[in-house]
Amino acid sequence: MRLVTLHHEGRRRVGRLSGDGRQIDLFATDGTHGALPLVQALVAGRALPPTDGSVALDGAQLLAPLPLPRRNLFCVGRNYHAHAKELRDTVFKDNAKAVDAWPIVFTKVPECVVGPTADVVLPDPAITTQIDYEAELAIVIGRGGKNIRRDDALQHVFGYTIVNDVTARDVQMRHGQWDLGKSFDTFCPMGPWIVTADELDGTDTRVRCWVNDELRQDASTTDLIFDLPTLIETCSRGITLHPGDVIATGTPAGVGMGMSPPRWLGAGDRVRISIDGIGTIENRFIQETHA
Ligand code: MG
């Protein structure tokens, strides 16, 4: 099942992609919080609401499936072997071990999430000039829990979606802690929907990213340093995870920072991310304008 949030006839709706992938069947329920109430309902064993119409996918105005996640997104840094290697020649060289003992975990604020085709706004150049993309598989937690054991972890996955963990590298490095450089308004494109875990093996899928049609990232989640069960185990150590929580699992090699010289995003650039078994998001980058 693919849960979709969209803007339709002046309001936010939530629906389910039809079997042939051509239309969205709309649920007769309040769509304000996107797919979150549906995730919560299914986890609690309740039925989905009835549908009350449908709209063609082609031309639909898709929003992030979780337009405002219930709290900060958990995000994992430096989690693909090839990406860890490319960072050894960057500003991370002083602490870029081949493999860390523990996952690097930081967060993005919920308010930076935008839809799968929304514009990403480049902040004022006085704030940052080093904008980078990070294609990532994101886990959407289903059944919550604390101290989830690795062996049980995949049972807590509701499904998967795509995020672009857009990053201001200069700000990321400036503050010792990454959250500011990761949380600018619009810095988390998400979508195009949530694919439930019964339809996708997130532990073995292909992640690709293009900038203006140039392929920059191409990897399988089999290259993860810390696999999905380990990430769920780690994030739930002493912290209760709740249905609808999001864990972005890290990005493959090929980010702009890893190039020599680095290649930052600018106004007019388009970043497209595809993950096999999920779909594609594509976002244009625009310069912030002052009214
Ligand atoms: Mg990332």
Side-chain angles (χ1 to χ4, degrees), residues 255-267:
V255 296
M257 179 178 60
M259 297 176 182
S260 182
R263 294 171 71 181
W264 308 122
L265 294 173

Side-chain angles (χ1 to χ4, degrees), residues 234-254:
T234 300
C235 292
S236 71
R237 284 169 66 94
I239 299 176
T240 302
L241 295 182
H242 296 280
D245 277 339
V246 178
I247 302 175
T249 58
T251 201

Side-chain angles (χ1 to χ4, degrees), residues 22-209:
R22 297 171 70 162
Q23 68 179 38
I24 303 163
D25 299 320
L26 300 168
F27 291 114
T29 188
D30 175 22
T32 305
H33 301 288
L36 180 60
L38 304 182
V39 174
Q40 293 167 326
L42 289 169
V43 167
R46 299 195 300 271
L48 289 172
T51 56
D52 65 354
S54 62
V55 55
L57 175 64
D58 189 22
Q61 192 182 342
L62 301 191
L63 305 173
L66 300 170
L68 185 68
R70 57 184 307 287
R71 59 175 172 181
N72 283 30
L73 293 83
F74 295 88
C75 303
V76 180
R78 204 158 61 208
N79 198 32
Y80 281 79
H81 288 282
H83 178 55
K85 199 170 163 203
E86 78 177 341
L87 294 181
R88 278 186 238 155
D89 294 324
T90 71
V91 288
F92 284 102
K93 61 181 178 295
D94 292 338
N95 70 345
K97 302 184 214 57
V99 173
D100 295 287
W102 292 85
I104 296 168
V105 182
F106 60 93
T107 72
K108 290 171 93 80
V109 299
E111 291 81 3
C112 70
V113 170
V114 293
T117 61
D119 288 343
V120 175
V121 180
L122 299 162
D124 189 318
I127 300 171
T128 171
T129 57
Q130 299 182 356
I131 307 299
D132 210 348
Y133 50 87
E134 295 191 352
E136 306 200 8
L137 175 74
I139 299 168
V140 177
I141 293 292
R143 184 157 53 86
K146 182 160 87 171
N147 301 326
I148 296 168
R149 293 188 316 140
R150 198 182 172 287
D151 290 349
D152 302 328
L154 290 180
Q155 298 170 31
H156 292 260
V157 177
F158 177 83
Y160 301 95
T161 190
I162 300 171
V163 301
N164 186 348
D165 175 19
V166 182
T167 303
R169 297 293 180 201
D170 40 4
V171 179
Q172 178 187 12
M173 303 314 301
R174 184 184 299 158
H175 298 282
Q177 217 282 347
W178 297 3
D179 289 25
L180 288 184
K182 298 278 193 175
S183 291
F184 286 99
D185 294 351
T186 73
F187 268 31
C188 191
M190 176 192 287
W193 36 64
I194 299 170
V195 176
T196 49
D198 59 324
E199 293 189 9
L200 174 66
D201 177 7
T203 67
D204 182 7
T205 192
R206 187 180 183 188
V207 179
R208 281 174 293 173
C209 176

Side-chain angles (χ1 to χ4, degrees), residues 212-279:
N212 304 327
D213 300 323
E214 176 189 344
L215 183 64
R216 296 281 185 90
Q217 297 183 284
D218 186 358
S220 167
T221 54
T222 56
D223 188 45
L224 285 174
I225 296 171
F226 298 102
D227 62 13
L228 305 187
T230 301
L231 299 180
I232 294 167
E233 180 180 69
T234 300
C235 292
S236 71
R237 284 169 66 94
I239 299 176
T240 302
L241 295 182
H242 296 280
D245 277 339
V246 178
I247 302 175
T249 58
T251 201
V255 296
M257 179 178 60
M259 297 176 182
S260 182
R263 294 171 71 181
W264 308 122
L265 294 173
D269 284 337
R270 288 176 298 107
V271 178
R272 184 168 79 252
I273 299 171
S274 289
I275 297 184
D276 286 6
I278 303 180

